[in-house]
Amino acid sequence: MIACASRYMDAADENGVAVSIKHFPGDGVDERDQHILTSVNSLSCEEWDASYGRVYKTLIDKGAKTVMVGHIAQPAWAKKIKPEASKEEMLLPASLNSALMTGLLRDTRGFNGVISTDATPMVGFGAAMPRSRSVPTAIAAGADIILFNKDLDEDYGYLLAGIESGILSEERLNEAVTRILALKASLHLPEKQAAGTLVPPPEALAAVGSEQFRAWADEVADKAITLVQDRKKLLPLSPAKHPRLYLNVIQKDADPNNEFTQMWKTLFENEGFEVTVRDRRVSITVQDFMTESLSPEKGKLMHEMYRSVEEMKQDYDLYVYVANMQNASNNTTLRLNWNVAFGLGDDAPWMTAEIPVLMISTGYPYHLFDAPMIGTYINAYSNAPHFCKAVVEKLMGRSEFVGVAPSDPYCGKEWLKW
């Protein structure tokens, strides 16, 4: 992580851009999300020092100009900085916690740049205390910039009232403004504004999508895509061996004619496969079993669920799942939820002992936990077209799998590797 972040900082510096290292004091320990609550980094001080703390310290020493502080509590360090801290103070988000912003980030880690809060309309910030207190408290605790407002005029009023009530001192406010001005000066923004070069000219956009950029993107895709397992030696694929392919794309848009599904259909058809696409708009419910007359679509699906195995094998030689699912602010834990009734097949991978089955994940890299019966599993990490095309190149054996998993696709479950 340090190597990746350091190279990113180098590129930003070369282009006159200030990076923001985030989300202090460290996201990812808690599987929940600050958009919907105050999450908790529950590591001990020693564990934090050896992981998150090491990353932050390295990037601070390298010259990171800004840090974004998350709505994340770090009870161990809050208690160490302030031994008399109550439970409420220990669970206060870092964006409102002087022990973490001033004590840990500034005093202990030596950060002297600009501190920004994460977005303050998020629940992790808003639910911690009344907004009339939280707005001035964030600045008083060490933040220099408040990111986003509920209502700008109201927040400005809360800030002024906080100065009048003594929550926030003018000295701390002036310090915050000075840091912001110093950041702008370090990026030479006043000179660029005076010279009319603050915003690049329109012709600079010609670099976007250039041949060089596309080559870099293709190289990233080639090096990233990871073959997690191919237990039955299915790869490389061949339409000669498995001509009839059943394609099931799992994503929010269940329409089989959507652009992403059709892209995958075309990619496989261009390789010579005969492709049938699963229509995930259709599912069977308990009530359908008690209905005398089903729609043609449901009737077809019901037949697929109850027909013989041999009939299914006569129709399809290869089943391909493409799981196009990404985490979101209110969807922090993803699971594969199949369309099933009474636990029956439908589109769940019941057929893995009958025909070859392949899964490609274009987002979330941990689907193997919910589909351990699938012997061939690939993490692509992106649903961008050049990543999908690179996957097909590797499936067909024209390109080697060279990607190394950056995280554990087996979710710490050793038995998944057996």
Side-chain angles (χ1 to χ4, degrees), residues 134-190:
S134 64
V135 170
T137 295
I139 304 299
D144 303 305
I145 295 176
I146 290 175
L147 180 64
F148 302 159
N149 307 94
K150 294 284 286 183
D151 180 275
L152 180 58
D153 291 336
E154 182 179 63
D155 281 355
Y156 184 66
Y158 287 155
L159 196 64
L160 294 179
I163 295 174
E164 295 174 359
S165 66
I167 295 176
L168 173 63
S169 69
E170 288 192 34
E171 180 182 9
R172 167 78 268 270
L173 188 63
N174 288 334
E175 178 191 9
V177 172
T178 301
R179 289 186 186 278
I180 295 169
L181 293 175
L183 171 63
K184 293 181 177 182
S186 73
L187 296 171
H188 306 289
L189 299 189

Short mmCIF file of all heavy atoms in Angstrom, two decimals, residues 134-190:
data_model
loop_
_atom_site.label_atom_id
_atom_site.label_comp_id
_atom_site.label_asym_id
_atom_site.label_seq_id
_atom_site.Cartn_x
_atom_site.Cartn_y
_atom_site.Cartn_z
N SER A 134 -21.48 20.67 16.32
CA SER A 134 -20.48 19.91 15.58
C SER A 134 -19.70 20.77 14.57
O SER A 134 -18.50 20.55 14.37
CB SER A 134 -21.14 18.75 14.84
OG SER A 134 -22.06 19.20 13.86
N VAL A 135 -20.35 21.75 13.96
CA VAL A 135 -19.66 22.58 12.97
C VAL A 135 -18.50 23.36 13.61
O VAL A 135 -17.35 23.25 13.15
CB VAL A 135 -20.64 23.53 12.24
CG1 VAL A 135 -19.89 24.55 11.41
CG2 VAL A 135 -21.59 22.72 11.36
N PRO A 136 -18.72 24.11 14.69
CA PRO A 136 -17.57 24.78 15.31
C PRO A 136 -16.63 23.81 16.02
O PRO A 136 -15.41 24.04 16.07
CB PRO A 136 -18.21 25.75 16.30
CG PRO A 136 -19.57 25.20 16.59
CD PRO A 136 -20.00 24.54 15.32
N THR A 137 -17.17 22.70 16.53
CA THR A 137 -16.32 21.73 17.23
C THR A 137 -15.32 21.09 16.29
O THR A 137 -14.16 20.84 16.67
CB THR A 137 -17.18 20.64 17.89
OG1 THR A 137 -18.00 21.24 18.91
CG2 THR A 137 -16.32 19.55 18.51
N ALA A 138 -15.70 20.83 15.05
CA ALA A 138 -14.79 20.22 14.08
C ALA A 138 -13.56 21.09 13.87
O ALA A 138 -12.42 20.60 13.84
CB ALA A 138 -15.51 19.99 12.75
N ILE A 139 -13.78 22.42 13.75
CA ILE A 139 -12.66 23.34 13.57
C ILE A 139 -11.85 23.45 14.86
O ILE A 139 -10.62 23.41 14.84
CB ILE A 139 -13.15 24.72 13.10
CG1 ILE A 139 -13.98 24.60 11.82
CG2 ILE A 139 -11.97 25.67 12.89
CD1 ILE A 139 -13.24 24.04 10.64
N ALA A 140 -12.54 23.56 15.97
CA ALA A 140 -11.85 23.67 17.26
C ALA A 140 -10.99 22.44 17.54
O ALA A 140 -9.91 22.54 18.14
CB ALA A 140 -12.87 23.85 18.38
N ALA A 141 -11.45 21.27 17.08
CA ALA A 141 -10.72 20.03 17.35
C ALA A 141 -9.51 19.84 16.45
O ALA A 141 -8.69 18.95 16.70
CB ALA A 141 -11.66 18.84 17.20
N GLY A 142 -9.41 20.67 15.40
CA GLY A 142 -8.22 20.57 14.55
C GLY A 142 -8.44 20.61 13.06
O GLY A 142 -7.49 20.73 12.30
N ALA A 143 -9.69 20.50 12.60
CA ALA A 143 -9.95 20.54 11.16
C ALA A 143 -9.79 21.97 10.64
O ALA A 143 -10.11 22.94 11.34
CB ALA A 143 -11.35 20.04 10.85
N ASP A 144 -9.28 22.09 9.42
CA ASP A 144 -9.13 23.41 8.79
C ASP A 144 -10.21 23.67 7.75
O ASP A 144 -10.53 24.82 7.45
CB ASP A 144 -7.75 23.50 8.12
CG ASP A 144 -6.62 23.24 9.10
OD1 ASP A 144 -6.56 23.93 10.13
OD2 ASP A 144 -5.81 22.33 8.84
N ILE A 145 -10.76 22.60 7.19
CA ILE A 145 -11.78 22.71 6.15
C ILE A 145 -12.94 21.80 6.49
O ILE A 145 -12.74 20.64 6.86
CB ILE A 145 -11.23 22.32 4.76
CG1 ILE A 145 -10.14 23.31 4.31
CG2 ILE A 145 -12.33 22.27 3.72
CD1 ILE A 145 -9.47 22.91 3.00
N ILE A 146 -14.15 22.33 6.38
CA ILE A 146 -15.36 21.52 6.52
C ILE A 146 -15.81 21.14 5.12
O ILE A 146 -16.05 22.00 4.27
CB ILE A 146 -16.48 22.29 7.25
CG1 ILE A 146 -16.10 22.46 8.73
CG2 ILE A 146 -17.82 21.57 7.12
CD1 ILE A 146 -17.08 23.31 9.51
N LEU A 147 -15.92 19.83 4.88
CA LEU A 147 -16.31 19.35 3.56
C LEU A 147 -17.83 19.22 3.49
O LEU A 147 -18.43 18.47 4.25
CB LEU A 147 -15.66 18.01 3.28
CG LEU A 147 -15.98 17.37 1.93
CD1 LEU A 147 -15.45 18.23 0.78
CD2 LEU A 147 -15.41 15.96 1.84
N PHE A 148 -18.44 19.97 2.57
CA PHE A 148 -19.88 19.92 2.29
C PHE A 148 -20.71 20.43 3.48
O PHE A 148 -20.31 20.33 4.63
CB PHE A 148 -20.36 18.52 1.90
CG PHE A 148 -19.67 17.95 0.69
CD1 PHE A 148 -19.67 16.58 0.48
CD2 PHE A 148 -19.03 18.75 -0.22
CE1 PHE A 148 -19.04 16.03 -0.63
CE2 PHE A 148 -18.41 18.22 -1.33
CZ PHE A 148 -18.41 16.86 -1.52
N ASN A 149 -21.85 20.94 3.15
CA ASN A 149 -22.76 21.51 4.15
C ASN A 149 -24.14 20.90 4.03
O ASN A 149 -24.51 20.37 2.99
CB ASN A 149 -22.87 23.03 3.97
CG ASN A 149 -21.54 23.72 3.95
OD1 ASN A 149 -20.96 23.96 2.89
ND2 ASN A 149 -21.03 24.05 5.11
N LYS A 150 -24.89 20.98 5.11
CA LYS A 150 -26.33 20.73 5.01
C LYS A 150 -26.99 21.96 4.40
O LYS A 150 -27.75 21.87 3.46
CB LYS A 150 -26.92 20.43 6.40
CG LYS A 150 -26.43 19.14 7.03
CD LYS A 150 -27.09 17.92 6.40
CE LYS A 150 -28.52 17.77 6.87
NZ LYS A 150 -29.14 16.55 6.32
N ASP A 151 -26.69 23.12 4.98
CA ASP A 151 -27.15 24.41 4.48
C ASP A 151 -26.03 25.40 4.76
O ASP A 151 -25.65 25.61 5.92
CB ASP A 151 -28.44 24.83 5.19
CG ASP A 151 -28.94 26.17 4.69
OD1 ASP A 151 -28.46 27.21 5.21
OD2 ASP A 151 -29.80 26.19 3.79
N LEU A 152 -25.48 26.00 3.71
CA LEU A 152 -24.28 26.83 3.86
C LEU A 152 -24.52 28.00 4.80
O LEU A 152 -23.71 28.26 5.69
CB LEU A 152 -23.83 27.33 2.48
CG LEU A 152 -22.57 28.22 2.48
CD1 LEU A 152 -21.38 27.49 3.10
CD2 LEU A 152 -22.24 28.66 1.05
N ASP A 153 -25.61 28.72 4.61
CA ASP A 153 -25.87 29.88 5.46
C ASP A 153 -26.06 29.46 6.92
O ASP A 153 -25.57 30.13 7.84
CB ASP A 153 -27.12 30.62 4.97
CG ASP A 153 -26.89 31.30 3.62
OD1 ASP A 153 -25.72 31.59 3.31
OD2 ASP A 153 -27.87 31.52 2.89
N GLU A 154 -26.76 28.35 7.13
CA GLU A 154 -26.98 27.87 8.48
C GLU A 154 -25.66 27.46 9.13
O GLU A 154 -25.38 27.81 10.28
CB GLU A 154 -27.94 26.68 8.46
CG GLU A 154 -28.28 26.14 9.85
CD GLU A 154 -29.25 24.98 9.77
OE1 GLU A 154 -28.89 23.93 9.19
OE2 GLU A 154 -30.38 25.12 10.28
N ASP A 155 -24.82 26.73 8.40
CA ASP A 155 -23.53 26.29 8.94
C ASP A 155 -22.63 27.49 9.25
O ASP A 155 -21.90 27.51 10.24
CB ASP A 155 -22.82 25.36 7.96
CG ASP A 155 -23.38 23.95 8.01
OD1 ASP A 155 -24.25 23.67 8.87
OD2 ASP A 155 -22.93 23.10 7.21
N TYR A 156 -22.68 28.51 8.39
CA TYR A 156 -21.91 29.72 8.65
C TYR A 156 -22.38 30.39 9.94
O TYR A 156 -21.57 30.84 10.76
CB TYR A 156 -22.05 30.68 7.46
CG TYR A 156 -21.21 31.94 7.58
CD1 TYR A 156 -19.83 31.87 7.54
CD2 TYR A 156 -21.82 33.19 7.71
CE1 TYR A 156 -19.06 33.03 7.64
CE2 TYR A 156 -21.06 34.35 7.81
CZ TYR A 156 -19.68 34.26 7.78
OH TYR A 156 -18.92 35.39 7.88
N GLY A 157 -23.68 30.38 10.13
CA GLY A 157 -24.23 30.93 11.37
C GLY A 157 -23.81 30.13 12.58
O GLY A 157 -23.49 30.69 13.64
N TYR A 158 -23.80 28.81 12.45
CA TYR A 158 -23.36 27.96 13.55
C TYR A 158 -21.89 28.23 13.90
O TYR A 158 -21.50 28.22 15.07
CB TYR A 158 -23.52 26.48 13.17
CG TYR A 158 -24.93 25.97 13.15
CD1 TYR A 158 -25.28 24.88 12.36
CD2 TYR A 158 -25.94 26.55 13.92
CE1 TYR A 158 -26.57 24.38 12.32
CE2 TYR A 158 -27.24 26.07 13.89
CZ TYR A 158 -27.55 24.99 13.10
OH TYR A 158 -28.83 24.51 13.08
N LEU A 159 -21.07 28.48 12.86
CA LEU A 159 -19.66 28.74 13.09
C LEU A 159 -19.47 30.05 13.86
O LEU A 159 -18.71 30.11 14.83
CB LEU A 159 -18.92 28.79 11.75
CG LEU A 159 -17.40 28.69 11.80
CD1 LEU A 159 -16.96 27.35 12.35
CD2 LEU A 159 -16.82 28.91 10.41
N LEU A 160 -20.19 31.08 13.45
CA LEU A 160 -20.11 32.36 14.14
C LEU A 160 -20.61 32.25 15.58
O LEU A 160 -20.00 32.80 16.51
CB LEU A 160 -20.91 33.43 13.39
CG LEU A 160 -20.39 33.82 11.99
CD1 LEU A 160 -21.31 34.86 11.37
CD2 LEU A 160 -18.96 34.35 12.08
N ALA A 161 -21.71 31.52 15.75
CA ALA A 161 -22.25 31.33 17.10
C ALA A 161 -21.28 30.55 17.97
O ALA A 161 -21.18 30.79 19.18
CB ALA A 161 -23.60 30.61 17.02
N GLY A 162 -20.53 29.63 17.35
CA GLY A 162 -19.54 28.85 18.10
C GLY A 162 -18.41 29.71 18.60
O GLY A 162 -17.86 29.47 19.69
N ILE A 163 -18.05 30.74 17.83
CA ILE A 163 -17.02 31.68 18.29
C ILE A 163 -17.55 32.51 19.46
O ILE A 163 -16.88 32.70 20.47
CB ILE A 163 -16.58 32.59 17.13
CG1 ILE A 163 -15.90 31.77 16.04
CG2 ILE A 163 -15.64 33.68 17.63
CD1 ILE A 163 -15.55 32.56 14.79
N GLU A 164 -18.78 32.98 19.32
CA GLU A 164 -19.39 33.80 20.37
C GLU A 164 -19.57 33.02 21.68
O GLU A 164 -19.41 33.57 22.77
CB GLU A 164 -20.73 34.34 19.90
CG GLU A 164 -20.62 35.32 18.73
CD GLU A 164 -21.97 35.73 18.18
OE1 GLU A 164 -22.99 35.22 18.69
OE2 GLU A 164 -22.01 36.52 17.22
N SER A 165 -19.87 31.71 21.56
CA SER A 165 -20.10 30.91 22.77
C SER A 165 -18.82 30.35 23.36
O SER A 165 -18.84 29.77 24.45
CB SER A 165 -21.05 29.75 22.44
OG SER A 165 -20.44 28.84 21.53
N GLY A 166 -17.72 30.47 22.65
CA GLY A 166 -16.44 29.99 23.17
C GLY A 166 -16.06 28.59 22.75
O GLY A 166 -15.01 28.08 23.15
N ILE A 167 -16.89 27.93 21.93
CA ILE A 167 -16.53 26.60 21.43
C ILE A 167 -15.28 26.70 20.56
O ILE A 167 -14.37 25.86 20.64
CB ILE A 167 -17.69 25.98 20.62
CG1 ILE A 167 -18.89 25.71 21.51
CG2 ILE A 167 -17.24 24.69 19.93
CD1 ILE A 167 -20.12 25.18 20.75
N LEU A 168 -15.21 27.76 19.77
CA LEU A 168 -14.12 27.95 18.82
C LEU A 168 -13.47 29.30 19.06
O LEU A 168 -14.17 30.32 19.15
CB LEU A 168 -14.66 27.86 17.38
CG LEU A 168 -13.71 28.20 16.23
CD1 LEU A 168 -12.55 27.23 16.20
CD2 LEU A 168 -14.48 28.17 14.90
N SER A 169 -12.15 29.31 19.12
CA SER A 169 -11.43 30.57 19.33
C SER A 169 -11.06 31.19 17.99
O SER A 169 -10.89 30.49 16.98
CB SER A 169 -10.15 30.33 20.14
OG SER A 169 -9.20 29.60 19.38
N GLU A 170 -10.92 32.53 17.99
CA GLU A 170 -10.48 33.20 16.77
C GLU A 170 -9.06 32.79 16.41
O GLU A 170 -8.71 32.72 15.23
CB GLU A 170 -10.56 34.73 16.96
CG GLU A 170 -11.99 35.26 16.97
CD GLU A 170 -12.03 36.78 16.86
OE1 GLU A 170 -11.14 37.33 16.16
OE2 GLU A 170 -12.92 37.40 17.46
N GLU A 171 -8.26 32.49 17.41
CA GLU A 171 -6.89 32.05 17.15
C GLU A 171 -6.87 30.76 16.34
O GLU A 171 -6.12 30.62 15.38
CB GLU A 171 -6.16 31.84 18.48
CG GLU A 171 -4.70 31.39 18.31
CD GLU A 171 -4.03 31.14 19.65
OE1 GLU A 171 -4.73 31.14 20.68
OE2 GLU A 171 -2.81 30.92 19.64
N ARG A 172 -7.71 29.79 16.72
CA ARG A 172 -7.78 28.52 15.99
C ARG A 172 -8.35 28.73 14.58
O ARG A 172 -7.87 28.14 13.60
CB ARG A 172 -8.67 27.53 16.77
CG ARG A 172 -9.09 26.27 16.02
CD ARG A 172 -7.97 25.23 15.97
NE ARG A 172 -7.16 25.35 14.79
CZ ARG A 172 -7.37 24.75 13.62
NH1 ARG A 172 -8.44 23.98 13.46
NH2 ARG A 172 -6.54 24.90 12.63
N LEU A 173 -9.33 29.63 14.46
CA LEU A 173 -9.92 29.94 13.16
C LEU A 173 -8.87 30.57 12.24
O LEU A 173 -8.75 30.20 11.07
CB LEU A 173 -11.11 30.88 13.33
CG LEU A 173 -11.96 31.14 12.09
CD1 LEU A 173 -12.61 29.86 11.59
CD2 LEU A 173 -13.02 32.20 12.38
N ASN A 174 -8.11 31.51 12.78
CA ASN A 174 -7.06 32.16 11.98
C ASN A 174 -5.98 31.16 11.57
O ASN A 174 -5.43 31.24 10.46
CB ASN A 174 -6.43 33.30 12.78
CG ASN A 174 -7.37 34.50 12.91
OD1 ASN A 174 -8.25 34.70 12.07
ND2 ASN A 174 -7.20 35.28 13.96
N GLU A 175 -5.68 30.21 12.46
CA GLU A 175 -4.69 29.18 12.12
C GLU A 175 -5.18 28.34 10.94
O GLU A 175 -4.41 28.03 10.03
CB GLU A 175 -4.44 28.28 13.33
CG GLU A 175 -3.44 27.15 13.05
CD GLU A 175 -3.41 26.12 14.16
OE1 GLU A 175 -4.26 26.17 15.07
OE2 GLU A 175 -2.54 25.23 14.10
N ALA A 176 -6.47 27.98 10.96
CA ALA A 176 -7.04 27.19 9.88
C ALA A 176 -6.96 27.94 8.56
O ALA A 176 -6.57 27.37 7.53
CB ALA A 176 -8.49 26.82 10.21
N VAL A 177 -7.31 29.22 8.57
CA VAL A 177 -7.27 30.02 7.35
C VAL A 177 -5.83 30.14 6.84
O VAL A 177 -5.57 30.05 5.63
CB VAL A 177 -7.87 31.43 7.61
CG1 VAL A 177 -7.65 32.33 6.39
CG2 VAL A 177 -9.36 31.31 7.93
N THR A 178 -4.89 30.33 7.75
CA THR A 178 -3.48 30.43 7.37
C THR A 178 -3.00 29.16 6.69
O THR A 178 -2.27 29.20 5.69
CB THR A 178 -2.60 30.73 8.61
OG1 THR A 178 -3.03 31.95 9.21
CG2 THR A 178 -1.12 30.85 8.22
N ARG A 179 -3.40 28.03 7.22
CA ARG A 179 -2.98 26.76 6.61
C ARG A 179 -3.56 26.62 5.20
O ARG A 179 -2.89 26.14 4.28
CB ARG A 179 -3.44 25.58 7.48
CG ARG A 179 -2.68 25.44 8.78
CD ARG A 179 -3.09 24.17 9.51
NE ARG A 179 -2.48 24.09 10.83
CZ ARG A 179 -1.25 23.67 11.08
NH1 ARG A 179 -0.48 23.30 10.06
NH2 ARG A 179 -0.78 23.62 12.31
N ILE A 180 -4.80 27.03 5.01
CA ILE A 180 -5.43 26.95 3.69
C ILE A 180 -4.70 27.85 2.70
O ILE A 180 -4.41 27.45 1.56
CB ILE A 180 -6.91 27.32 3.77
CG1 ILE A 180 -7.68 26.29 4.61
CG2 ILE A 180 -7.53 27.43 2.38
CD1 ILE A 180 -9.09 26.71 4.97
N LEU A 181 -4.37 29.07 3.14
CA LEU A 181 -3.65 30.00 2.27
C LEU A 181 -2.25 29.47 1.95
O LEU A 181 -1.76 29.60 0.82
CB LEU A 181 -3.55 31.38 2.93
CG LEU A 181 -4.88 32.13 3.10
CD1 LEU A 181 -4.66 33.43 3.88
CD2 LEU A 181 -5.51 32.42 1.75
N ALA A 182 -1.61 28.85 2.93
CA ALA A 182 -0.28 28.28 2.71
C ALA A 182 -0.34 27.13 1.70
O ALA A 182 0.56 26.97 0.87
CB ALA A 182 0.30 27.79 4.03
N LEU A 183 -1.40 26.33 1.77
CA LEU A 183 -1.57 25.25 0.80
C LEU A 183 -1.68 25.81 -0.61
O LEU A 183 -1.03 25.33 -1.55
CB LEU A 183 -2.82 24.43 1.15
CG LEU A 183 -3.25 23.39 0.12
CD1 LEU A 183 -2.18 22.32 -0.05
CD2 LEU A 183 -4.60 22.76 0.52
N LYS A 184 -2.49 26.85 -0.77
CA LYS A 184 -2.65 27.47 -2.09
C LYS A 184 -1.33 28.04 -2.59
O LYS A 184 -0.98 27.90 -3.77
CB LYS A 184 -3.71 28.56 -2.03
CG LYS A 184 -5.12 28.05 -1.78
CD LYS A 184 -6.13 29.19 -1.76
CE LYS A 184 -7.56 28.66 -1.57
NZ LYS A 184 -8.57 29.75 -1.59
N ALA A 185 -0.58 28.65 -1.67
CA ALA A 185 0.71 29.22 -2.06
C ALA A 185 1.69 28.13 -2.47
O ALA A 185 2.47 28.30 -3.42
CB ALA A 185 1.29 30.03 -0.89
N SER A 186 1.66 26.98 -1.77
CA SER A 186 2.59 25.89 -2.10
C SER A 186 2.31 25.30 -3.48
O SER A 186 3.21 24.73 -4.11
CB SER A 186 2.49 24.78 -1.04
OG SER A 186 1.28 24.04 -1.17
N LEU A 187 1.09 25.46 -3.95
CA LEU A 187 0.72 24.98 -5.29
C LEU A 187 0.82 26.08 -6.34
O LEU A 187 0.47 25.88 -7.50
CB LEU A 187 -0.72 24.44 -5.26
CG LEU A 187 -0.96 23.21 -4.38
CD1 LEU A 187 -2.45 22.92 -4.27
CD2 LEU A 187 -0.22 22.00 -4.92
N HIS A 188 1.29 27.26 -5.92
CA HIS A 188 1.47 28.43 -6.80
C HIS A 188 0.16 28.85 -7.45
O HIS A 188 0.14 29.35 -8.59
CB HIS A 188 2.51 28.12 -7.90
CG HIS A 188 3.83 27.64 -7.36
ND1 HIS A 188 4.70 28.47 -6.68
CD2 HIS A 188 4.39 26.40 -7.36
CE1 HIS A 188 5.77 27.77 -6.29
NE2 HIS A 188 5.60 26.52 -6.69
N LEU A 189 -0.93 28.68 -6.74
CA LEU A 189 -2.23 29.04 -7.30
C LEU A 189 -2.39 30.54 -7.54
O LEU A 189 -2.96 30.93 -8.57
CB LEU A 189 -3.35 28.51 -6.40
CG LEU A 189 -3.40 26.98 -6.20
CD1 LEU A 189 -4.67 26.60 -5.46
CD2 LEU A 189 -3.30 26.24 -7.52
N PRO A 190 -1.91 31.41 -6.63
CA PRO A 190 -2.05 32.86 -6.92
C PRO A 190 -1.34 33.27 -8.20
O PRO A 190 -1.89 34.03 -9.01
CB PRO A 190 -1.43 33.51 -5.69
CG PRO A 190 -1.59 32.51 -4.59
CD PRO A 190 -1.39 31.20 -5.26
#
